[in-house]
Amino acid sequence: MRFAVVCAAVPAISFVSGSLASAIGSPLNFESPSLVETPTTTLPPGSPELLKRASKTSKRHKPTRRPQPHPKRPQHHPTGGCSDTELVKNGDFNRNVKGWEFLGGGGTQFFWIKSSKKRPAHSGAGQGYLFLPRGYSTPWLSTAVPAIEYGNTYTVSAWLQYEAPNDLSQCTIIFTDNGNESIDLVLTPEWTKFSFDSPGTGRPIEVQLRITCESTLPLSIYIDDVSAKACIPRNPNPACQALPRADNALVNPGFECPDGITAWNAESYYGSGNDSIVQVSGKKGNPTHSGNGMAALLFDNSVGDFGIPLPGVLLYQSSITDDTSRQFMKASLWLSADSRLNNVSGCLLYMSSSTSTFFYDFDISTITTKWTKFEANNIEPSTYDYLYIGIYQCDSDPQPIIYLDDIYFGKDPTSPPAPVTSESPQPTPTSGPCTTTPNMVDPSFELGNLDNWLFHDQSFNFDTTFSVDSASTYGPPHAGSGVGVLTFASDDGSATIMQQIFGLCDGVYTTSVWFYVPVGYDASLCTFSYGVFASASGTPTAAGVWTKVEVVFLVQNIETTFPYTYISANCQNTGEMVVLVDDITFGPPPACSVVPTISDGSFESGDVSIWDAGFGEGDETFAITTAKAHTGKKSGLLTFPSTSNSAVFSRDFDACVGGKYTFHLWYYVPKAYKSSPCSVNAFASNSEDYYTEDVAVWDKWVEYKLDFVAGAAVEQVDFGVSCLNRLGKAVIYLDDMGITVR
């Protein structure tokens, strides 16, 4: 499964010349691309010659827009002749995270956690856990759900909660089925169920949790009992879904599925007028080609901005999974004209997929009430495809009605098998016990393919590409002959590639990767980052020079983690930019003798500005006072005026990755506030060591301790106090924060 979003746009067809073409613009007002190589096309007997063909180009056009789902898909909740079925596998996370894909950035992690007194699951033995480090992060979780009949309704649900302290004020959390339906989530510290209904598309979907978050605090989010249920008919209608092993990859290709016309997105070809497509049955003089249904293309003789008629109907399907077992696919459709409105003079046919254009400005003015077949062969398959069919520029008045039936886009039994790509020997990751040296597949990009990499396009226009280059197109590789290539096509390019690591043990490692900005580009516009549990960043010294980014990281509880490398490039306001990536390596940690300290842990400087405080309700206050102190003359004073208050502080300090330390904090709560239950907590953000304790002693200084292992060379400890304030006021004194070596 891949998270890379493939966007698709209708290629513009220019049928007039000079300034008029510029004035009218592209169909649907899309940018006019270069057309791609045309596969072999079989013309119907007696058909006129193809007026225009797609020009051959060495570079395939990158689509600029993905068709949006039809806004009015039907929803049905069948009650008879069907069985209620759970379609999500491993939604309870009771044993592992098998079947789930994770896309994140930086130190974001996803793994399952057994139930415990501190962190109970919603049900069962486990739960999904997302840890978001402070700063910006965009994690996604996704699992595949098999196809159900078009219009049959899924009920999708999940239980979520967050763990305090938190700062979700700048976070957007969306629960969706791959964008067909979605809801925004407002999480609470208690398990909360979120659900929505979604119509079946006839294709597999993905249940996704998408998070975009900018937080001043590290966050812990839990998810459990994810579900997608539907009542599955005992005898499903094959016309209403694209079955996994069916030859035809389309939904409702013969217009036999009730309400299935909306499986075909349809609109005016030129983005104006009310041209449309409807599903009809055959009648005298106009029988269907086969079965009981066909589509009628209705033109309204729309007039454009310059008074020129622009009739045309466009219909398409997207999210198509092609047959990639053979070298080529094939496509076909049947057309006929209405027995009364049958003047089809000037009518042109267009048909394309993401890899080819089959018919382009093809004159179909000779079709009659007799069904005529149009077929294309040698179509290159794609793992994520679309099919466009357009009929346009009919110049008769009144406009004709054209019927369409039995569209085919799928397997070609006569095609040879897909070619097998020869690969250089590479280590194959295996799960199980840890090994002497961690390993990945193709860490130096020598295989020449992307099969082992996940790609996340975070660019503003979603127009970044990721490829492998073995021809030194942009410059010399760091080593070997291959490099990974990130190409940013427009401003604000940002992307991440990632791969799971195998063979890690609990312990400390050093890992590095090399980046390169080719000569001719402004390297100063880019920053790079690299991470495994912890992350590091770097900037290129100059174009044409390889830049190394290295990070030391800690592994804890490897049996329950999902270790990935995250390799990111971010280039601002570039127009176009190319970044090369090469040679990921792993090794032992460097020697370290750092002794961590927290400056002014006793507040004796009196400078409150060095303390990075965050408040829950917003009306809490923090000040430095001489009224009470554990040692010295001063302490920190928290005042809580509301019914429920919390305050969190953060301190950064240098440490040895893997070093064992103890964080110390002394607190004092006057006995007058004994009826306001309070707790003290601390969190080591790079290793996730966490501890909380309830206040049980009053009118006395109490020492709080958190034992932790440093997860980064610059470690962060977040600590604070929260109170359920029943008196309308509570005060807490803090003093003598420090770090000692265990």
Side-chain angles (χ1 to χ4, degrees):
M1 192 185 308
R2 296 291 187 267
F3 284 87
V5 178
V6 179
C7 303
V10 126
I13 302 174
S14 177
F15 59 90
V16 291
S17 61
S19 60
L20 184 57
S22 300
I24 294 176
S26 306
L28 299 181
N29 296 319
F30 291 170
E31 177 186 357
S32 179
S34 300
L35 294 173
V36 297
E37 184 174 352
T38 306
T40 303
T41 304
T42 303
L43 306 180
S47 299
E49 290 298 319
L50 194 63
L51 298 183
K52 295 181 182 179
R53 283 188 179 272
S55 60
K56 289 189 176 182
T57 62
S58 59
K59 183 178 181 181
R60 184 177 302 156
H61 168 67
K62 182 167 180 62
T64 57
R65 179 180 169 186
R66 177 181 175 181
Q68 296 300 309
H70 196 286
K72 296 181 180 179
R73 285 198 173 102
Q75 291 198 31
H76 301 302
H77 290 273
T79 55
C82 62
S83 301
D84 288 330
T85 306
E86 175 58 71
L87 298 167
V88 170
K89 295 182 179 179
N90 197 26
D92 54 16
F93 304 103
N94 278 349
R95 297 179 61 85
N96 51 43
V97 292
K98 185 177 180 180
W100 287 85
E101 292 287 353
F102 170 64
L103 182 69
T108 307
Q109 300 168 28
F110 167 49
F111 50 90
W112 65 281
I113 297 177
K114 291 184 178 179
S115 292
S116 67
K117 293 182 179 179
K118 289 186 178 180
R119 293 175 176 172
H122 174 255
S123 69
Q127 60 196 300
Y129 171 47
L130 275 167
F131 168 67
L132 281 62
R134 70 173 69 248
Y136 182 74
S137 58
T138 58
W140 281 21
L141 292 183
S142 180
T143 190
V145 176
I148 62 175
E149 278 191 83
Y150 187 85
N152 191 3
T153 300
Y154 297 90
T155 297
V156 184
S157 63
W159 291 81
L160 291 103
Q161 69 171 5
Y162 68 76
E163 185 173 37
N166 79 94
D167 175 14
L168 298 175
S169 60
Q170 298 184 66
C171 298
T172 300
I173 305 175
I174 297 174
F175 187 41
T176 179
D177 63 336
N178 203 25
N180 298 310
E181 299 288 338
S182 63
I183 56 174
D184 294 334
L185 307 188
V186 179
L187 303 188
T188 73
E190 305 296 331
W191 283 108
T192 304
K193 185 178 182 179
F194 301 92
S195 64
F196 60 88
D197 285 349
S198 179
T201 64
R203 302 188 188 281
I205 64 169
E206 290 181 358
V207 172
Q208 299 175 345
L209 180 70
R210 305 178 182 178
I211 302 176
T212 301
C213 199
E214 178 74 31
S215 176
T216 59
L217 301 174
L219 303 176
S220 295
I221 295 175
Y222 300 88
I223 181 171
D224 203 1
D225 295 330
V226 183
S227 171
K229 291 184 178 180
C231 200
I232 306 299
R234 297 186 180 92
N235 297 301
N237 185 347
C240 296
Q241 60 189 104
L243 299 173
R245 289 173 293 277
D247 291 345
N248 198 340
L250 301 175
V251 178
N252 195 30
F255 305 98
E256 303 294 323
C257 178
D259 296 326
I261 189 62
T262 55
W264 290 92
N265 289 349
E267 54 195 82
S268 170
Y269 190 84
Y270 298 100
S272 61
N274 296 306
D275 308 286
S276 62
I277 172 177
V278 296
Q279 192 162 307
V280 297
S281 58
K283 60 182 179 180
K284 185 177 181 180
N286 294 109
T288 66
H289 175 256
S290 68
N292 298 316
M294 60 183 177
L297 307 183
L298 309 179
F299 307 91
D300 75 342
N301 207 21
S302 306
V303 176
D305 294 339
F306 292 83
I308 298 174
L310 296 177
V313 172
L314 170 74
L315 62 151
Y316 50 88
Q317 285 190 24
S318 57
S319 305
I320 300 172
T321 302
D322 291 351
D323 171 30
T324 55
S325 65
R326 298 183 177 272
Q327 186 173 1
F328 300 113
M329 295 172 54
K330 66 179 182 179
S332 62
L333 56 86
W334 292 81
L335 295 176
S336 69
D338 185 78
S339 59
R340 293 181 301 166
L341 298 174
N342 57 11
N343 185 351
V344 290
S345 64
C347 292
L348 303 177
L349 170 66
Y350 170 77
M351 185 164 69
S352 75
S353 73
S354 65
T355 61
S356 307
T357 298
F358 321 140
F359 294 97
Y360 172 47
D361 278 12
F362 183 72
D363 190 339
I364 59 171
S365 59
T366 59
I367 65 172
T368 65
T369 55
K370 182 180 179 180
W371 285 99
T372 303
K373 185 179 183 180
F374 298 81
E375 183 175 280
N377 300 296
N378 297 340
I379 300 171
E380 180 185 352
S382 171
T383 55
Y384 191 99
D385 212 344
Y386 60 80
L387 178 69
Y388 284 105
I389 299 172
I391 296 179
Y392 52 96
Q393 207 177 338
C394 299
D395 56 20
S396 63
D397 190 10
Q399 289 281 286
I401 295 178
I402 296 177
Y403 297 109
L404 174 65
D405 204 359
D406 294 333
I407 306 170
Y408 184 89
F409 184 67
K411 296 181 180 179
D412 184 353
T414 65
S415 168
V420 178
T421 304
S422 60
E423 299 180 349
S424 303
Q426 290 287 323
T428 301
T430 56
S431 58
C434 62
T435 58
T436 303
T437 303
N439 55 84
M440 301 165 54
V441 175
D442 198 20
S444 297
F445 304 95
E446 299 299 315
L447 294 182
N449 62 56
L450 308 176
D451 295 345
N452 302 293
W453 293 92
L454 294 174
F455 170 59
H456 186 196
D457 184 1
Q458 300 152 300
S459 301
F460 181 77
N461 292 321
F462 296 101
D463 55 2
T464 298
T465 61
F466 175 47
S467 61
V468 173
D469 178 27
S470 300
S472 298
T473 305
Y474 303 99
H478 178 257
S481 60
V483 294
V485 182
L486 292 168
T487 304
F488 302 125
S490 59
D491 290 350
D492 296 329
S494 180
T496 299
I497 59 174
M498 59 199 70
Q499 185 183 146
Q500 191 173 359
I501 311 167
F502 293 84
L504 288 172
C505 310
D506 285 354
V508 183
Y509 295 86
T510 300
T511 184
S512 64
V513 66
W514 292 84
F515 294 90
Y516 181 94
V517 174
V519 174
Y521 295 95
D522 186 353
S524 67
L525 298 174
C526 294
T527 58
F528 310 132
S529 61
Y530 179 50
V532 183
F533 298 125
S535 61
S537 60
T539 57
T541 54
V545 178
W546 282 97
T547 301
K548 183 180 183 181
V549 177
E550 184 175 81
V551 61
V552 181
F553 67 93
L554 168 71
V555 180
Q556 292 191 111
N557 303 317
I558 187 61
E559 296 84 1
T560 61
T561 60
F562 231 31
Y564 274 81
T565 58
Y566 300 89
I567 305 168
S568 301
N570 189 302
C571 301
Q572 299 295 322
N573 302 316
T574 59
E576 180 186 82
M577 178 64 71
V578 174
V579 175
L580 309 186
V581 183
D582 205 1
D583 294 333
I584 303 162
T585 59
F586 293 88
C592 180
S593 58
V594 172
V595 178
T597 60
I598 292 181
S599 62
D600 196 30
S602 297
F603 304 99
E604 295 303 311
S605 73
D607 183 4
V608 73
S609 65
I610 67 173
W611 295 91
D612 182 12
F615 300 117
E617 294 291 328
D619 55 0
E620 299 90 341
T621 61
F622 175 70
I624 295 176
T625 179
T626 58
K628 195 175 296 293
H630 175 249
T631 62
K633 297 180 178 180
K634 298 176 182 177
S635 66
L637 173 63
L638 282 169
T639 302
F640 292 166
S642 301
T643 57
S644 179
N645 292 101
S646 63
V648 177
F649 300 87
S650 175
R651 293 308 295 264
D652 297 346
F653 50 88
D654 294 335
C656 295
V657 179
K660 296 181 179 180
Y661 306 106
T662 299
F663 169 75
H664 302 261
L665 164 68
W666 291 83
Y667 64 89
Y668 183 105
V669 180
K671 190 174 182 179
Y673 307 110
K674 183 176 181 179
S675 62
S676 296
C678 297
S679 63
V680 183
N681 57 76
F683 181 87
S685 60
N686 288 297
S687 61
E688 300 177 62
D689 292 311
Y690 177 85
Y691 178 64
T692 183
E693 69 180 28
D694 294 333
V695 174
V697 178
W698 294 267
D699 279 343
K700 183 178 180 180
W701 284 102
V702 178
E703 185 180 22
Y704 167 92
K705 294 181 180 181
L706 168 69
D707 291 335
F708 69 97
V709 179
V714 178
E715 182 58 90
Q716 300 167 345
V717 168
D718 296 88
F719 58 92
V721 181
S722 60
C723 293
L724 181 60
N725 194 343
R726 296 170 178 169
L727 300 177
K729 183 179 181 181
V731 298
I732 299 96
Y733 297 90
L734 306 177
D735 205 358
D736 292 340
M737 270 68 71
I739 305 288
T740 57
V741 179
R742 285 191 284 145

